[in-house]
Amino acid sequence: MAIVLRTELKFEAPFLRKAAEIPAEDVDYREFVFRLALAICGERDGAEDVAQDVLLTLFKHRAKLRCVDNPQAWVRRVTVRCATRYLKRAHKTEPLDFNQQSREPASQLVDVYDVLRLLTPEQRAILGMALHQGLSYREISEALNIPEGTVASRLSAAKAAFQKRWEA
């Protein structure tokens, strides 16, 4: 099989411009995958690595992608799993320590991504899907393969952890 590089893609991420040509049903997911990975990882380099892994997975399992009822939900699930696996491997999280004194004076703005990096990969994933991607509880439950009630409780816990860290 010959691999043809596409140079006409106009995405911001450089690796997407160099991505090998893949079937048309996968091409539509490149930007979607990258944006979701960026929302979960909180950094461009990590999002590029995750998106690359996801696109390879899509290519390897393209037959399955054609057969699923909701391909976008399947792609979302693969992206979330790859992103959380990446964060765990990269040791990008720190345990939350609510007794720690504030790192900065109250007058300084705290970067949202700095706070997100302190959350667990699972908390970052669910916040990214709910707040950044605007997904419903049903869509998140399909992506994570958990009940909607669990989505609600995990999202509530993630929001509370974020808020406590933000106010610290």
Side-chain angles (χ1 to χ4, degrees):
M1 170 169 66
I3 295 179
V4 179
L5 296 180
R6 296 182 67 145
T7 57
E8 69 275 11
L9 293 175
K10 295 180 179 158
F11 297 107
E12 289 182 29
F15 79 95
L16 290 176
R17 281 186 240 124
K18 299 175 187 170
E21 184 172 335
I22 54 180
E25 62 268 24
D26 297 340
V27 173
D28 295 337
Y29 296 108
R30 290 177 182 185
E31 189 171 3
F32 171 77
V33 166
F34 177 72
R35 288 179 187 225
L36 180 56
L38 184 60
I40 295 170
C41 293
E43 62 179 354
R44 185 179 192 86
D45 290 340
E48 288 176 355
D49 289 344
V50 168
Q52 204 166 33
D53 287 345
V54 171
L55 293 174
L56 285 172
T57 302
L58 293 179
F59 183 74
K60 288 177 187 174
H61 301 286
R62 62 190 174 277
K64 183 175 181 176
L65 182 62
R66 291 184 197 117
C67 298
V68 295
D69 292 334
N70 187 348
Q72 188 171 11
W74 188 77
V75 170
R76 184 180 300 118
R77 182 178 298 163
V78 171
T79 305
V80 169
R81 287 182 180 165
C82 285
T84 54
R85 199 169 40 243
Y86 168 82
L87 290 172
K88 287 176 182 177
R89 272 192 327 251
H91 306 290
K92 297 281 185 189
T93 61
E94 300 173 12
L96 293 176
D97 180 9
F98 297 117
N99 297 325
Q100 174 185 355
Q101 294 296 324
S102 178
R103 301 171 295 154
E104 303 174 272
S107 62
Q108 287 186 321
L109 294 176
V110 178
D111 186 23
V112 172
Y113 284 121
D114 287 341
V115 176
L116 285 173
R117 283 188 191 102
L118 301 175
L119 301 178
T120 67
E122 292 81 10
Q123 289 172 330
R124 290 167 66 172
I126 203 159
L127 283 174
M129 287 187 291
L131 303 177
H132 187 266
Q133 295 288 314
L135 301 180
S136 68
Y137 284 13
R138 183 184 54 77
E139 292 169 321
I140 296 170
S141 76
E142 289 173 4
L144 297 176
N145 201 24
I146 58 175
E148 286 184 43
T150 304
V151 170
S153 63
R154 287 185 186 176
L155 183 58
S156 177
K159 286 179 180 179
F162 181 89
Q163 184 176 7
K164 284 182 181 179
R165 198 56 168 156
W166 180 265
E167 293 171 351

